[in-house]
Amino acid sequence: MNPDESPLGYIKRLTQLNNYKTMSWLILGANKNSFGTKDFILGSYLSHQTWAAKGGFSVPCKYADRIRNTHLTQEIRFCPTCLKEGEYWRDKWVLKVSMCCTKHKVWLVDRCTKCGVMNRRVDKPFLHCRCGNAFSNNRVKACPENVHTMQCFLENRKLPSDCLMPSENNLTLDDKVKVIELVTRRVPNHRELRRGTNIHLNSIDLGRDYVVDAANTLFGGTEGFIAALKTLQAMKMNDSDICRLIMFYRDFYSRCREPCFEHYKQLLEQYVSHYSVRPLSRRNTLFREKAIQGAHWIALHHAVRKYKIPKSTITAAIDSGWIEAKLELKGDRYYTVISRPHLETRMFFIKAQMTAVEARNALGVTKGQFVELIDSGELQEGVTAPVKGSCSTWRIPEYTVETYLQSLLKGEMKEGHDLRPIQKLLQAWSGRYPELFVTILRSLKAGKVSYMVDKGLDGIRAIQVSESEALALMEQSSSEVFSIPRIAKVLNLSEEFVYQLANTGLLSVSVRLTTPRG
């Protein structure tokens, strides 16, 4: 038996290899009663059978969890590529929340792409559909990265470093399944909100949207979790006045009591404390406004105007698998339509990804100053640099920018006689003190310099600091260093002559390595 093989799949594989007409007699006890077809029961049963031991069977510890039927799928799920590599069922395919193959990063398949039929696990089909089509011949589709991360969480694999959930979480498989199912019932989606039921995960087609939203919430990092909270706050529960956010954190705190959820709870408490409180258009005059607004598909160019999201941002979300899109032929040209529910329920998550230009504008800094923030490590949480040789761009989470700006103003504001905007100080003193910009920001975070905020401006450009205190900090943090051009200007000498003085040792020289800004 393979280490990751399903006990039921093992029984069916033996039945096929030995040309048995039925597998029933293999799972009958001494009293002629069937042991059933649940993996954890069969795993315990097979561990006591001598014929199974001779075949190399040993019950893995993963079957120690007695997972109820409501958490298990009744239909066969599989990865066609895995079946090509090894003709046996993987044990992880039996869970309703398992919809991704971690090895190949594709969606699992539960419906024959030839005849469209779903085959039950207890029925005769093993590696072929009733129509004769081999399961390994079915088409596969890549799944989003966060869905892959959630499947790794289920399989006790290592999680990314920026994930809120630690890899060492001490959760049982049953705990993990229940947490994911809880979030799939609470996260924003365009179907009716359900409580205490898992029928929305009975098939891949029905559950895909729920799983994507749950993965973005739990494994999309800080920005993914915050984006889900913003969306929930903006939604009502059915026709009542109860905010979906309230229902979410009530259930989340009730279900998620383990220490590994501490990061989520901290963010949730911070957010609540700060913020509690074919497509149709109006050209279709025969339709009522309610019908137009409720249409599933919306043209891409209409969405850009209506929701005020850049076209490039929506296109990137389509490429990442967050928004479903398709091409429609109208007249003699094609145009793109996107899923309105996907856009509306994932809008905060999509808009949370800022480009470098958007981040610079929000921070109130120049391009050079933005590079200084990145190079010095001031901005790093969730920041993704563009990949060389590709069309990718900078991705900076909106939450990271907001948190950084808030961290600069922790100290008490004080009035001073020499308060000047940071940009003015840089114009006057950055030639003498190259590290002045980063030093001022770090001093603000540490509360070492007096400041005021001009409410008429945004970001760092609105901050005014004490010039004397800032210069005093620069004198303390670094020795007096001048560039060759500055020395030449002060002494009224040519730069070439100053370089000769430095080369002969008449001037003390230190070398500063600068980061290319090309």
Side-chain angles (χ1 to χ4, degrees):
M1 181 176 179
N2 298 283
D4 59 342
E5 187 167 4
S6 161
L8 176 60
Y10 176 63
I11 294 291
K12 300 191 79 167
R13 187 160 62 89
L14 289 180
T15 302
Q16 184 185 71
L17 289 174
N18 293 279
N19 294 319
Y20 298 145
K21 294 183 178 180
T22 178
M23 67 175 181
S24 300
W25 70 275
L26 289 173
I27 55 176
L28 290 177
N31 57 359
K32 304 302 181 181
N33 291 327
S34 173
F35 278 91
T37 56
K38 295 178 68 173
D39 275 353
F40 76 87
I41 295 178
L42 285 177
S44 177
Y45 164 71
L46 291 174
S47 65
H48 295 88
Q49 304 303 310
T50 55
W51 57 268
K54 291 180 181 179
F57 179 83
S58 61
V59 57
C61 61
K62 68 184 74 176
Y63 298 118
D65 289 339
R66 296 177 64 86
I67 300 179
R68 297 175 58 189
N69 272 336
T70 54
H71 309 301
L72 306 177
T73 178
Q74 303 302 313
E75 279 70 37
I76 301 174
R77 288 184 183 177
F78 54 90
C79 169
T81 310
C82 284
L83 291 179
K84 289 179 181 178
E85 297 173 355
E87 296 183 337
Y88 65 93
W89 290 1
R90 276 56 170 182
D91 47 29
K92 46 189 158 296
W93 295 344
V94 71
L95 300 173
K96 283 187 177 182
V97 293
S98 290
M99 296 193 181
C100 166
C101 173
T102 54
K103 184 176 181 181
H104 303 105
K105 296 185 178 182
V106 296
W107 290 103
L108 297 183
V109 179
D110 62 356
R111 191 182 298 275
C112 177
T113 54
K114 182 178 180 181
C115 67
V117 170
M118 299 174 68
N119 295 276
R120 291 173 56 83
R121 288 171 58 85
V122 296
D123 291 341
K124 189 174 181 180
F126 173 50
L127 297 175
H128 292 76
C129 178
R130 300 171 198 170
C131 68
N133 181 44
F135 290 154
S136 58
N137 291 335
N138 284 266
R139 296 184 296 273
V140 296
K141 184 178 180 181
C143 66
E145 187 63 31
N146 290 340
V147 175
H148 174 259
T149 302
M150 187 166 73
Q151 188 66 30
C152 290
F153 165 71
L154 279 171
E155 299 178 19
N156 288 327
R157 298 176 183 269
K158 186 176 180 181
L159 303 179
S161 57
D162 60 347
C163 186
L164 294 176
M165 175 65 67
S167 297
E168 301 296 330
N169 46 61
N170 296 323
L171 295 176
T172 65
L173 180 60
D174 188 56
D175 290 334
K176 295 177 179 180
V177 169
K178 289 179 178 178
V179 167
I180 294 175
E181 288 177 347
L182 167 67
V183 178
T184 61
R185 294 194 296 270
R186 294 293 174 268
V187 294
N189 53 71
H190 56 277
R191 297 188 178 94
E192 182 181 357
L193 179 70
R194 297 185 178 276
R195 292 181 59 85
T197 179
N198 299 319
I199 61 174
H200 58 295
L201 302 176
N202 281 352
S203 69
I204 302 293
D205 290 341
L206 186 62
R208 184 182 287 111
D209 287 341
Y210 293 92
V211 168
V212 170
D213 286 337
N216 288 341
T217 301
L218 290 175
F219 302 97
T222 301
E223 62 273 19
F225 190 65
I226 294 295
L229 298 181
K230 288 183 178 180
T231 308
L232 287 169
Q233 187 185 21
M235 301 175 71
K236 300 293 184 181
M237 183 175 174
N238 297 333
D239 296 327
S240 68
D241 292 330
I242 301 177
C243 177
R244 290 273 290 269
L245 178 62
I246 296 176
M247 299 302 300
F248 175 78
Y249 74 68
R250 284 178 181 174
D251 291 341
F252 191 79
Y253 271 78
S254 175
R255 167 69 258 181
C256 307
R257 302 174 182 269
E258 293 78 6
C260 58
F261 294 103
E262 192 60 31
H263 291 307
Y264 295 97
K265 292 180 180 179
Q266 289 176 0
L267 288 173
L268 184 52
E269 290 170 0
Q270 291 173 9
Y271 182 84
V272 171
S273 63
H274 283 85
Y275 302 101
S276 178
V277 242
R278 200 188 209 133
L280 298 177
S281 68
R282 287 186 172 84
R283 294 181 179 178
N284 302 94
T285 55
L286 297 179
F287 289 91
R288 292 177 298 176
E289 183 69 17
K290 183 177 180 181
I292 294 174
Q293 296 300 328
H296 183 89
W297 298 100
I298 182 173
L300 176 59
H301 59 280
H302 287 164
V304 170
R305 291 198 300 267
K306 179 176 180 179
Y307 298 100
K308 298 179 181 176
I309 303 177
K311 182 178 179 181
S312 59
T313 302
I314 298 180
T315 304
I318 294 173
D319 294 338
S320 300
W322 299 334
I323 299 178
E324 185 180 0
K326 62 180 182 179
L327 290 176
E328 287 287 342
L329 179 62
K330 187 174 183 179
D332 57 351
R333 70 183 184 90
Y334 286 93
Y335 67 105
T336 303
V337 295
I338 63 176
S339 169
R340 184 197 301 267
H342 285 180
L343 179 60
E344 291 179 347
T345 58
R346 298 168 189 169
M347 186 184 306
F348 286 109
F349 184 78
I350 294 168
K351 294 174 71 174
Q353 310 299 316
M354 304 177 73
T355 64
V357 175
E358 293 169 341
R360 294 202 306 266
N361 293 336
L363 288 167
V365 298
T366 64
K367 182 177 180 180
Q369 292 165 358
F370 177 75
V371 174
E372 281 190 67
L373 290 175
I374 298 294
D375 292 346
S376 62
E378 289 292 293
L379 284 180
Q380 54 184 356
E381 183 180 356
V383 177
T384 305
V387 180
K388 291 184 178 180
S390 70
C391 297
S392 59
T393 59
W394 282 96
R395 290 178 58 194
I396 301 95
E398 183 181 20
Y399 181 78
T400 298
V401 174
E402 293 176 352
T403 304
Y404 182 73
L405 288 175
Q406 292 172 5
S407 70
L408 297 178
L409 306 179
K410 285 186 176 180
E412 183 180 355
M413 288 194 294
K414 300 178 183 178
E415 293 185 1
H417 66 282
D418 61 343
L419 291 175
R420 296 184 66 185
I422 293 179
Q423 301 293 357
K424 295 291 185 182
L425 289 178
L426 295 177
Q427 292 174 8
W429 296 102
S430 60
R432 181 172 180 178
Y433 302 111
E435 303 294 335
L436 180 60
F437 180 59
V438 174
T439 302
I440 290 177
L441 297 182
R442 290 174 177 171
S443 301
L444 282 170
K445 290 196 293 184
K448 295 180 179 180
V449 63
S450 302
Y451 74 94
M452 288 289 290
V453 177
D454 184 350
K455 296 182 179 180
L457 299 175
D458 296 323
I460 294 175
R461 66 168 65 93
I463 303 175
Q464 301 178 8
V465 299
S466 171
E467 182 175 16
S468 58
E469 293 179 13
L471 296 181
L473 288 170
M474 290 304 302
E475 293 292 342
Q476 295 173 7
S477 62
S478 63
S479 60
E480 192 76 11
V481 178
F482 292 92
S483 65
I484 293 293
R486 183 171 178 81
I487 293 175
K489 185 176 181 180
V490 172
L491 298 179
N492 197 21
L493 299 173
S494 67
E495 289 187 21
E496 182 180 358
F497 183 68
V498 176
Y499 275 113
Q500 292 177 358
L501 294 176
N503 292 334
T504 56
L506 295 176
L507 286 179
S508 178
V509 178
S510 64
V511 179
R512 178 183 298 276
L513 297 178
T514 58
T515 304
R517 307 193 190 285

